[in-house]
Amino acid sequence: MIRPATAEEIPGLVDIWLRASIRAHPFIPEAFWSSRAEAMAREHLPQAEEVAVLEVEGRVIGFAALNGDHLEALFIDPEVQSYGHGSRLMAHAMAGHERLTLCVYSRNVRAVSFYHRLGFRAVEERVEPLSGESETLMVWER
């Protein structure tokens, strides 16, 4: 089931985000992600216009956070990745929009490929200021 997140679920979402970020981005030190966890819990998730969670058998296993037409975050618990859960969350996000944008680390080839398969196209390469890593701005239009 996909539904809106509750404030009480934010610590669990931050845990999913942290574990998934460390796994997906071996080119960025773990300390970087750990240092960003508090901002994720206190600012980014609570201030997102929409945070949808994917709940399976009573357990939240992933989430998508959006601000308007921009996907800020899409994370699935590393224990249950590669079973189509990310695609389910993206289908939910895409159903409510005519256009979506997102930024993804360019060296996260798995994620870049995932978004390409969903119909996103790369429109710009730039440097993400907090990590200093190259990121790709992608866009999808219905």
Side-chain angles (χ1 to χ4, degrees):
M1 160 182 23
I2 297 175
R3 60 169 176 76
T6 66
E8 295 77 28
E9 291 171 319
I10 288 183
L13 301 183
V14 172
D15 177 64
I16 290 171
W17 167 83
L18 181 59
R19 290 183 295 111
S21 293
I22 290 168
R23 180 177 182 182
H25 309 105
F27 47 88
I28 296 175
E30 280 188 35
F32 172 81
W33 299 111
S34 297
S35 73
R36 302 295 306 146
E38 186 173 331
M40 192 70 162
R42 295 189 190 275
E43 298 167 28
H44 301 298
L45 286 174
Q47 293 174 10
E49 291 175 13
E50 176 187 352
V51 179
V53 298
L54 175 59
E55 184 180 324
V56 175
E57 296 178 1
R59 177 179 164 224
V60 173
I61 62 165
F63 70 95
L66 292 109
N67 280 316
D69 290 338
H70 187 75
L71 180 72
E72 299 287 353
L74 174 74
F75 288 93
I76 303 296
D77 188 320
E79 295 174 13
V80 294
Q81 288 180 357
S82 300
Y83 293 99
H85 301 305
S87 295
R88 281 183 65 194
L89 273 169
M90 283 305 299
H92 174 80
M94 293 162 84
H97 295 85
E98 293 296 313
R99 177 180 194 270
L100 285 175
T101 60
L102 60 86
C103 291
V104 60
Y105 285 112
S106 303
R107 293 203 297 176
N108 186 348
V109 177
R110 186 174 175 212
V112 171
S113 296
F114 169 75
Y115 292 120
H116 276 298
R117 284 193 309 274
L118 294 175
F120 283 80
R121 62 184 168 78
V123 294
E124 182 183 340
E125 288 286 323
R126 56 192 183 193
V127 174
E128 194 279 317
L130 294 176
S131 67
E133 279 289 325
S134 175
E135 69 178 1
T136 303
L137 172 63
M138 302 184 83
V139 64
W140 167 84
E141 294 172 302
R142 190 172 303 282

